[in-house]
Coordinates of all heavy atoms in Angstrom, one line a residue:
M15 N 27.6 -20.8 -19.4 CA 28.4 -20.3 -18.3 C 27.7 -19.1 -17.5 O 27.8 -19.0 -16.3 CB 29.8 -19.9 -18.8 CG 30.8 -19.5 -17.7 SD 31.1 -20.9 -16.6 CE 32.8 -21.1 -16.8
R16 N 27.1 -18.3 -18.3 CA 26.4 -17.1 -17.7 C 25.3 -17.6 -16.8 O 25.0 -17.1 -15.7 CB 25.8 -16.2 -18.8 CG 25.1 -15.0 -18.3 CD 24.7 -14.1 -19.4 NE 23.9 -13.1 -18.8 CZ 23.2 -12.3 -19.5 NH1 23.1 -12.4 -20.8 NH2 22.5 -11.3 -18.9
F17 N 24.6 -18.7 -17.2 CA 23.5 -19.2 -16.4 C 24.0 -19.7 -15.0 O 23.4 -19.5 -14.0 CB 22.8 -20.4 -17.1 CG 21.7 -21.0 -16.3 CD1 20.5 -20.4 -16.1 CD2 21.9 -22.3 -15.8 CE1 19.5 -21.0 -15.3 CE2 20.9 -22.9 -15.1 CZ 19.7 -22.3 -14.8
K18 N 25.2 -20.4 -15.1 CA 25.8 -20.9 -13.9 C 26.2 -19.8 -12.9 O 25.9 -19.9 -11.7 CB 27.0 -21.8 -14.2 CG 27.7 -22.4 -13.0 CD 28.9 -23.2 -13.4 CE 29.6 -23.8 -12.2 NZ 30.8 -24.6 -12.6
S19 N 26.7 -18.8 -13.4 CA 27.1 -17.6 -12.6 C 25.9 -17.0 -12.0 O 25.9 -16.6 -10.8 CB 27.8 -16.6 -13.5 OG 28.1 -15.4 -12.8
H20 N 24.8 -16.8 -12.8 CA 23.6 -16.3 -12.3 C 23.0 -17.1 -11.2 O 22.6 -16.6 -10.1 CB 22.6 -16.1 -13.4 CG 21.2 -15.6 -13.0 ND1 21.0 -14.3 -12.7 CD2 20.0 -16.2 -12.9 CE1 19.8 -14.1 -12.3 NE2 19.1 -15.3 -12.5
L21 N 23.0 -18.4 -11.4 CA 22.5 -19.3 -10.4 C 23.3 -19.3 -9.1 O 22.7 -19.2 -8.0 CB 22.5 -20.8 -10.9 CG 21.3 -21.6 -10.6 CD1 20.2 -21.3 -11.5 CD2 21.7 -23.1 -10.7
L22 N 24.6 -19.2 -9.2 CA 25.5 -19.1 -8.0 C 25.3 -17.8 -7.3 O 25.3 -17.8 -6.0 CB 27.0 -19.3 -8.4 CG 27.4 -20.7 -8.9 CD1 28.8 -20.7 -9.4 CD2 27.2 -21.7 -7.7
S23 N 25.0 -16.8 -8.0 CA 24.8 -15.5 -7.4 C 23.4 -15.5 -6.6 O 23.4 -15.0 -5.5 CB 24.7 -14.4 -8.5 OG 24.4 -13.2 -7.9
K24 N 22.4 -16.1 -7.2 CA 21.1 -16.2 -6.5 C 21.2 -17.1 -5.3 O 20.7 -16.8 -4.2 CB 20.1 -16.8 -7.5 CG 19.6 -15.8 -8.5 CD 18.4 -16.3 -9.3 CE 17.2 -15.8 -9.0 NZ 16.6 -14.7 -8.6
I25 N 22.0 -18.2 -5.4 CA 22.2 -19.1 -4.2 C 22.9 -18.3 -3.1 O 22.5 -18.4 -1.9 CB 23.0 -20.3 -4.6 CG1 22.1 -21.2 -5.5 CG2 23.5 -21.1 -3.4 CD1 22.8 -22.4 -6.1
Q26 N 23.9 -17.6 -3.4 CA 24.7 -16.8 -2.4 C 23.8 -15.8 -1.7 O 23.8 -15.6 -0.5 CB 25.9 -16.1 -3.0 CG 26.7 -15.4 -2.0 CD 27.9 -14.7 -2.6 OE1 28.1 -14.7 -3.9 NE2 28.8 -14.2 -1.8
R27 N 23.0 -15.0 -2.5 CA 22.0 -14.1 -1.9 C 21.0 -14.8 -1.0 O 20.7 -14.2 0.1 CB 21.3 -13.3 -3.0 CG 22.1 -12.1 -3.4 CD 21.3 -11.2 -4.4 NE 21.7 -11.6 -5.7 CZ 20.9 -11.7 -6.8 NH1 19.7 -11.5 -6.7 NH2 21.4 -12.1 -7.9
R28 N 20.6 -15.9 -1.4 CA 19.6 -16.7 -0.6 C 20.2 -17.1 0.7 O 19.6 -17.0 1.8 CB 19.1 -17.9 -1.4 CG 18.0 -18.7 -0.6 CD 16.8 -17.8 -0.4 NE 15.8 -18.7 0.2 CZ 14.9 -18.2 1.1 NH1 14.9 -16.9 1.4 NH2 14.1 -19.0 1.7
E29 N 21.5 -17.6 0.7 CA 22.2 -18.0 1.9 C 22.4 -16.8 2.8 O 22.3 -16.9 4.0 CB 23.5 -18.6 1.5 CG 23.3 -20.0 0.9 CD 24.6 -20.6 0.5 OE1 25.7 -19.9 0.5 OE2 24.6 -21.8 0.2
E30 N 22.7 -15.6 2.2 CA 22.8 -14.4 3.1 C 21.5 -14.0 3.7 O 21.5 -13.6 4.9 CB 23.4 -13.3 2.2 CG 24.8 -13.5 1.8 CD 25.3 -12.5 0.8 OE1 24.5 -11.6 0.3 OE2 26.5 -12.5 0.4
E31 N 20.4 -14.1 3.0 CA 19.1 -13.9 3.5 C 18.8 -14.8 4.7 O 18.3 -14.4 5.7 CB 18.0 -14.1 2.5 CG 17.8 -12.9 1.5 CD 16.7 -13.2 0.5 OE1 15.6 -13.7 0.9 OE2 16.9 -12.9 -0.7
L32 N 19.1 -16.1 4.5 CA 18.8 -17.1 5.5 C 19.7 -16.8 6.8 O 19.2 -16.9 7.9 CB 19.1 -18.5 5.0 CG 18.1 -19.0 4.0 CD1 18.6 -20.4 3.4 CD2 16.7 -19.2 4.6
A33 N 20.9 -16.4 6.6 CA 21.7 -16.1 7.7 C 21.2 -14.9 8.5 O 21.2 -14.9 9.7 CB 23.2 -15.8 7.3
H34 N 20.7 -13.9 7.7 CA 20.1 -12.7 8.4 C 18.8 -13.1 9.1 O 18.6 -12.7 10.3 CB 19.8 -11.7 7.3 CG 19.1 -10.4 7.8 ND1 19.8 -9.5 8.5 CD2 17.8 -10.0 7.8 CE1 19.0 -8.5 8.9 NE2 17.7 -8.8 8.4
L35 N 18.0 -13.9 8.5 CA 16.8 -14.3 9.2 C 17.1 -15.2 10.4 O 16.4 -15.0 11.5 CB 15.9 -15.1 8.2 CG 15.2 -14.3 7.1 CD1 14.6 -15.3 6.1 CD2 14.3 -13.3 7.7
D36 N 18.1 -16.0 10.4 CA 18.5 -16.8 11.5 C 18.9 -15.9 12.7 O 18.6 -16.1 13.8 CB 19.6 -17.7 11.2 CG 20.0 -18.7 12.3 OD1 19.1 -19.3 12.8 OD2 21.2 -18.8 12.6
A37 N 19.7 -14.8 12.4 CA 20.1 -13.9 13.4 C 18.9 -13.2 14.0 O 18.8 -13.0 15.2 CB 21.0 -12.8 12.8
E38 N 17.9 -12.8 13.2 CA 16.7 -12.2 13.7 C 15.9 -13.2 14.6 O 15.4 -12.8 15.6 CB 15.8 -11.7 12.6 CG 16.3 -10.5 11.9 CD 15.4 -9.9 10.8 OE1 14.2 -10.3 10.8 OE2 15.9 -9.1 10.0
V39 N 15.8 -14.4 14.2 CA 15.1 -15.4 15.0 C 15.8 -15.6 16.4 O 15.1 -15.6 17.4 CB 15.0 -16.8 14.3 CG1 14.6 -17.9 15.3 CG2 14.1 -16.7 13.1
Q40 N 17.1 -15.6 16.4 CA 17.9 -15.7 17.7 C 17.6 -14.5 18.5 O 17.4 -14.6 19.8 CB 19.4 -15.9 17.4 CG 19.7 -17.2 16.8 CD 21.2 -17.4 16.6 OE1 22.0 -16.6 17.1 NE2 21.5 -18.4 15.8
A41 N 17.6 -13.3 18.0 CA 17.3 -12.1 18.7 C 15.9 -12.1 19.3 O 15.7 -11.8 20.5 CB 17.5 -10.9 17.9
L42 N 14.9 -12.6 18.5 CA 13.5 -12.7 19.0 C 13.4 -13.7 20.1 O 12.7 -13.6 21.0 CB 12.6 -13.0 17.8 CG 12.4 -11.9 16.9 CD1 11.6 -12.4 15.6 CD2 11.6 -10.7 17.5
Q43 N 14.2 -14.8 19.9 CA 14.1 -15.9 21.0 C 14.7 -15.3 22.3 O 14.1 -15.6 23.4 CB 15.0 -17.1 20.5 CG 15.0 -18.2 21.6 CD 13.6 -18.8 21.8 OE1 12.9 -19.1 20.8 NE2 13.1 -18.9 23.0
F44 N 15.7 -14.5 22.2 CA 16.2 -13.9 23.4 C 15.2 -13.0 24.1 O 15.0 -13.0 25.3 CB 17.5 -13.1 23.1 CG 18.1 -12.4 24.3 CD1 18.7 -13.1 25.3 CD2 17.9 -11.0 24.5 CE1 19.2 -12.4 26.4 CE2 18.4 -10.3 25.6 CZ 19.1 -11.0 26.6
V45 N 14.5 -12.1 23.3 CA 13.5 -11.2 23.8 C 12.4 -12.1 24.4 O 11.9 -11.8 25.5 CB 12.9 -10.3 22.7 CG1 11.7 -9.6 23.1 CG2 14.0 -9.4 22.2
Y46 N 12.0 -13.1 23.8 CA 10.9 -14.0 24.3 C 11.4 -14.6 25.7 O 10.6 -14.6 26.6 CB 10.6 -15.2 23.3 CG 9.7 -16.2 23.9 CD1 8.3 -15.9 23.9 CD2 10.1 -17.4 24.5 CE1 7.4 -16.9 24.4 CE2 9.2 -18.3 25.0 CZ 7.9 -18.0 25.0 OH 7.0 -19.0 25.5
D47 N 12.6 -15.1 25.7 CA 13.1 -15.6 27.0 C 13.1 -14.6 28.1 O 12.8 -14.9 29.3 CB 14.6 -16.2 26.8 CG 14.6 -17.4 25.9 OD1 13.5 -18.0 25.7 OD2 15.7 -17.7 25.4
V48 N 13.5 -13.3 27.8 CA 13.5 -12.3 28.8 C 12.0 -12.0 29.3 O 11.8 -12.0 30.5 CB 14.1 -11.0 28.2 CG1 13.8 -9.8 29.1 CG2 15.6 -11.1 28.0
I49 N 11.1 -11.9 28.3 CA 9.7 -11.7 28.7 C 9.2 -12.9 29.6 O 8.5 -12.6 30.5 CB 8.8 -11.5 27.5 CG1 9.2 -10.2 26.8 CG2 7.3 -11.5 27.8 CD1 8.6 -10.0 25.4
E50 N 9.5 -14.1 29.2 CA 9.1 -15.2 30.0 C 9.6 -15.2 31.4 O 8.9 -15.5 32.3 CB 9.5 -16.5 29.2 CG 9.0 -17.8 29.8 CD 9.3 -19.0 29.0 OE1 10.6 -19.3 28.9 OE2 8.4 -19.6 28.5
E51 N 10.9 -14.8 31.5 CA 11.5 -14.7 32.9 C 10.8 -13.7 33.7 O 10.5 -13.8 34.9 CB 13.0 -14.4 32.8 CG 13.8 -15.6 32.4 CD 13.9 -16.6 33.4 OE1 14.0 -16.3 34.6 OE2 14.0 -17.8 33.1
L52 N 10.5 -12.5 33.1 CA 9.9 -11.4 33.8 C 8.4 -11.8 34.2 O 8.0 -11.4 35.2 CB 9.9 -10.2 32.9 CG 11.2 -9.5 32.7 CD1 11.1 -8.4 31.7 CD2 11.8 -9.0 34.0
S53 N 7.7 -12.5 33.3 CA 6.3 -12.8 33.6 C 6.2 -13.9 34.7 O 5.2 -14.0 35.4 CB 5.6 -13.4 32.3 OG 6.2 -14.6 32.0
E54 N 7.3 -14.6 34.9 CA 7.3 -15.6 36.0 C 7.5 -15.0 37.4 O 7.4 -15.6 38.4 CB 8.3 -16.7 35.7 CG 8.0 -17.6 34.6 CD 9.1 -18.6 34.2 OE1 10.1 -18.6 34.9 OE2 8.9 -19.4 33.3
G55 N 7.9 -13.7 37.3 CA 8.1 -13.0 38.6 C 9.5 -13.3 39.3 O 9.7 -12.8 40.4
D56 N 10.3 -14.1 38.6 CA 11.6 -14.4 39.2 C 12.5 -13.1 39.1 O 12.3 -12.2 38.3 CB 12.3 -15.5 38.4 CG 11.5 -16.8 38.6 OD1 10.8 -16.9 39.5 OD2 11.7 -17.7 37.7
D57 N 13.6 -13.1 39.9 CA 14.6 -12.0 39.8 C 15.2 -12.2 38.4 O 15.6 -13.3 38.0 CB 15.6 -12.2 40.9 CG 15.1 -11.8 42.3 OD1 14.0 -11.1 42.3 OD2 15.6 -12.3 43.3
F58 N 15.4 -11.1 37.8 CA 16.0 -11.1 36.5 C 17.1 -10.0 36.4 O 16.8 -8.9 36.7 CB 14.9 -10.8 35.4 CG 15.5 -10.8 34.0 CD1 15.8 -12.0 33.4 CD2 15.7 -9.6 33.4 CE1 16.3 -12.0 32.1 CE2 16.2 -9.6 32.1 CZ 16.5 -10.8 31.5
D59 N 18.2 -10.4 35.9 CA 19.3 -9.5 35.7 C 19.7 -9.5 34.2 O 20.2 -10.6 33.8 CB 20.5 -9.9 36.6 CG 21.6 -8.9 36.6 OD1 21.7 -8.1 35.6 OD2 22.5 -8.9 37.5
L60 N 19.6 -8.4 33.5 CA 19.8 -8.4 32.1 C 21.3 -8.7 31.8 O 21.6 -9.4 30.9 CB 19.4 -7.0 31.5 CG 19.6 -6.9 30.0 CD1 18.8 -7.9 29.2 CD2 19.3 -5.5 29.6
K61 N 22.2 -8.2 32.6 CA 23.6 -8.5 32.4 C 23.9 -10.0 32.5 O 24.7 -10.5 31.7 CB 24.5 -7.7 33.4 CG 24.6 -6.2 33.1 CD 25.5 -5.5 34.1 CE 25.6 -4.1 33.8 NZ 26.5 -3.4 34.6
D62 N 23.3 -10.7 33.5 CA 23.5 -12.1 33.6 C 22.9 -12.8 32.4 O 23.5 -13.8 31.8 CB 22.8 -12.7 34.8 CG 23.5 -12.3 36.1 OD1 24.7 -11.9 36.0 OD2 22.9 -12.4 37.2
A63 N 21.8 -12.4 31.9 CA 21.1 -13.0 30.7 C 22.0 -12.8 29.5 O 22.2 -13.8 28.7 CB 19.7 -12.4 30.5
L64 N 22.5 -11.6 29.3 CA 23.4 -11.4 28.2 C 24.7 -12.2 28.3 O 25.1 -12.7 27.3 CB 23.7 -9.9 28.1 CG 22.6 -9.0 27.6 CD1 23.0 -7.5 27.8 CD2 22.2 -9.2 26.2
S65 N 25.2 -12.3 29.5 CA 26.4 -13.1 29.6 C 26.1 -14.6 29.3 O 27.0 -15.2 28.7 CB 26.9 -13.0 31.1 OG 28.0 -13.8 31.3
E66 N 25.0 -15.1 29.7 CA 24.7 -16.5 29.4 C 24.5 -16.7 27.9 O 24.8 -17.7 27.4 CB 23.4 -16.9 30.2 CG 23.6 -17.1 31.7 CD 22.3 -17.3 32.4 OE1 21.3 -17.7 31.7 OE2 22.2 -17.2 33.6
E67 N 23.9 -15.7 27.3 CA 23.5 -15.8 25.9 C 24.8 -15.6 25.0 O 25.0 -16.3 24.0 CB 22.5 -14.8 25.5 CG 21.9 -14.9 24.1 CD 21.0 -16.1 23.9 OE1 20.5 -16.6 24.9 OE2 20.8 -16.4 22.7
Y68 N 25.6 -14.6 25.3 CA 26.7 -14.2 24.4 C 28.1 -14.3 25.0 O 29.0 -14.0 24.3 CB 26.4 -12.7 23.9 CG 25.1 -12.6 23.2 CD1 24.1 -11.9 23.8 CD2 24.9 -13.1 21.9 CE1 22.9 -11.8 23.1 CE2 23.7 -12.9 21.3 CZ 22.7 -12.3 21.9 OH 21.5 -12.1 21.2
G69 N 28.2 -14.7 26.2 CA 29.5 -14.8 26.9 C 29.8 -13.6 27.7 O 29.2 -12.5 27.6
P70 N 30.9 -13.7 28.5 CA 31.3 -12.6 29.4 C 31.6 -11.3 28.7 O 31.6 -10.2 29.3 CB 32.4 -13.1 30.2 CG 32.8 -14.4 29.5 CD 31.7 -14.8 28.6
A71 N 32.0 -11.3 27.4 CA 32.4 -10.1 26.7 C 31.3 -9.1 26.5 O 31.5 -8.0 26.3 CB 33.0 -10.4 25.3
S72 N 30.0 -9.7 26.7 CA 28.9 -8.8 26.4 C 28.5 -8.0 27.7 O 27.6 -7.2 27.6 CB 27.7 -9.7 26.0 OG 27.3 -10.5 27.0
Q73 N 29.2 -8.3 28.8 CA 28.8 -7.5 30.0 C 29.3 -6.1 29.9 O 30.3 -5.8 29.4 CB 29.5 -8.2 31.2 CG 28.9 -9.5 31.6 CD 29.5 -10.1 32.8 OE1 30.5 -9.7 33.3 NE2 28.8 -11.1 33.4
L74 N 28.4 -5.2 30.4 CA 28.7 -3.8 30.3 C 29.3 -3.3 31.5 O 29.1 -3.7 32.6 CB 27.4 -3.0 30.0 CG 26.7 -3.4 28.7 CD1 25.4 -2.7 28.6 CD2 27.6 -3.2 27.5

């Protein structure tokens, strides 16, 4: 029984790590998208980009 508990604990920690890494990947993807837009020389509005990425609640 102790082994099963230990295994479940390790699995849960691993899932939390993966969720954290996924959030970091999404943040980096957003930064990459912003840099790509800026490098193309197009007009860029950060508020619009945030709204598209996270919804209207993210507008400041």
